[in-house]
Amino acid sequence: MDFATLLQVLDSTVRLATPLLLACLAGLFSERSGIFDIGLEGKMLVAAFFSAAIAAATGSVWLGLLAGIAASLVLSGIHGLASITFRGNQLISGVAINFLAAGLSVLIAQDWFGQGGRTPSLVGGGRWDNITLPLAETLSGVPVIGPIYAELISGHSILVYVAFLMVPLTWWILFRTRFGLRLRAVGEAPEAVDTAGVSVVGLRYAAVGICGLLCGLAGSYLATGLQAGFVKDMTAGRGYIALAALIFAKWRPWHALGACLLFGLLQAVALRYQNIDLGGLTIPVQVMDALPYILTVVILAGFVGKAIPPRAGGEPYVKER
């Protein structure tokens, strides 16, 4: 593999890791507050559809982004209502959201556009433009450093940079602010937070809302940045992979970045190398495509060490009288 090919693979890694990273951070906020969210997949899917649909209808990717975030927040509100207010089973609520999003997105797409459950291809202002960072063209001729800056760091859409900036921001919010301290405490000992006079319900709804916002960004990027429109089930299990990355990272932001880049690298390699020849043994394309999902199973099977979730995770809080 030459240097140019390596840069192309790493560039694809960054792009493919972006929706995973946003969804992973979304799950991080939610699960740190004690609300398990299996519905990341569904929120990303419905955000992808409404982003693409509104962007196709208006020609504005910004309106599409707002529509995607709004749709994701609606599903987050439903999950919060079922899990926090009515104290239902959080896992069942998340699975129900996934089924609802999968069916509803295709149904509405067929009704609106009549193209078999997809939206029209996005062009012009309906897609995110790539941003060329300062001095990218000037430094492109510098050996090693120039191509890395010009081709790997520069040339991405704004949501890619937002996703990577969200990592230090998430770390700062969770570990350097009063809100983050209370959010983590709610996931570990909600009764102590309640005793201190802080609303457990309010904090958990805030976490679920942040989760919906980030899932909206992830879904919007899928449909208007990574691809040029919405197709059926376009999330392709990314919500579940993000959950696996979250467990792999043991609910820590910087580790989540590394985990998502690892999954993104596997997807990039699978796309780049369809058939790999290892001394007469050819690895078929199906095996390469399955690599990210195989790693997901390996992680969830517990082969990466013991991952301890927040102590109050998955348990509805009942205020003592």
Side-chain angles (χ1 to χ4, degrees):
M1 181 187 297
D2 59 13
F3 186 61
T5 304
L6 177 62
L7 282 181
Q8 291 173 1
V9 171
L10 292 178
D11 182 70
S12 297
T13 297
V14 170
R15 297 175 190 272
L16 292 168
T18 295
L20 295 177
L21 181 58
L22 287 167
C24 188
L25 294 177
L28 177 63
F29 274 102
S30 182
E31 297 198 7
R32 276 286 191 172
S33 74
I35 302 297
F36 288 164
D37 197 348
I38 304 295
L40 299 178
E41 177 90 358
K43 289 195 277 287
M44 289 172 65
L45 188 62
V46 78
F49 166 68
F50 279 100
S51 291
I54 299 302
T58 63
S60 170
V61 69
W62 288 101
L63 290 178
L65 175 63
L66 292 176
I69 291 174
S72 180
L73 285 173
V74 168
L75 290 189
S76 284
I78 294 174
H79 183 57
L81 195 65
S83 302
I84 302 171
T85 303
F86 296 119
R87 302 174 188 140
N89 187 291
Q90 298 172 12
L91 300 182
I92 293 177
S93 172
V95 171
I97 284 174
N98 289 339
F99 284 132
L100 177 65
L104 201 61
S105 58
V106 175
L107 180 67
I108 299 176
Q110 178 61 23
D111 181 63
W112 285 3
F113 303 106
Q115 296 186 11
R118 65 172 63 217
T119 62
S121 296
L122 300 177
V123 293
R127 292 198 68 196
W128 293 106
D129 293 325
N130 292 332
I131 298 174
T132 301
L133 297 180
L135 301 177
E137 295 182 3
T138 305
L139 296 175
S140 60
V142 179
V144 183
I145 297 176
I148 290 176
Y149 180 72
E151 299 179 26
L152 181 59
I153 299 176
S154 178
H156 298 287
S157 67
I158 188 172
L159 290 185
V160 174
Y161 299 110
V162 168
F164 281 85
L165 287 174
M166 279 302 303
V167 176
L169 180 60
T170 297
W171 175 85
W172 181 78
I173 290 173
L174 287 178
F175 298 101
R176 290 294 183 271
T177 67
R178 180 180 298 178
F179 171 76
L181 175 63
R182 290 174 173 176
L183 190 72
R184 288 183 288 122
V186 161
E188 297 291 341
E191 62 282 350
V193 176
D194 194 18
T195 302
V198 179
S199 172
V200 173
V201 171
L203 280 170
R204 287 188 166 178
Y205 265 111
V208 168
I210 295 172
C211 176
L213 171 64
L214 293 175
C215 282
L217 292 174
S220 179
Y221 174 75
L222 271 178
T224 59
L226 193 62
Q227 299 185 33
F230 174 84
V231 295
K232 179 183 177 183
D233 296 330
M234 71 179 303
T235 47
R238 284 182 172 89
Y240 300 110
I241 294 178
L243 284 174
L246 181 59
I247 296 170
F248 188 22
K250 296 180 172 60
W251 294 270
R252 291 174 291 186
W254 289 107
H255 295 73
L257 172 60
C260 291
L261 286 173
L262 174 60
F263 281 108
L265 176 62
L266 290 176
Q267 289 181 329
V269 170
L271 291 173
R272 178 78 183 182
Y273 301 100
Q274 297 295 302
N275 291 289
I276 295 181
D277 188 4
L278 298 176
L281 176 63
T282 301
I283 301 178
V285 61
Q286 290 83 0
V287 174
M288 299 302 298
D289 289 338
L291 269 181
Y293 305 98
I294 293 173
L295 182 59
T296 301
V297 173
V298 169
I299 288 172
L300 294 180
F303 290 108
V304 294
K306 189 175 183 180
I308 302 175
R311 188 171 63 85
E315 298 293 332
Y317 177 66
V318 180
K319 187 179 179 68
E320 294 182 1
R321 298 291 181 182

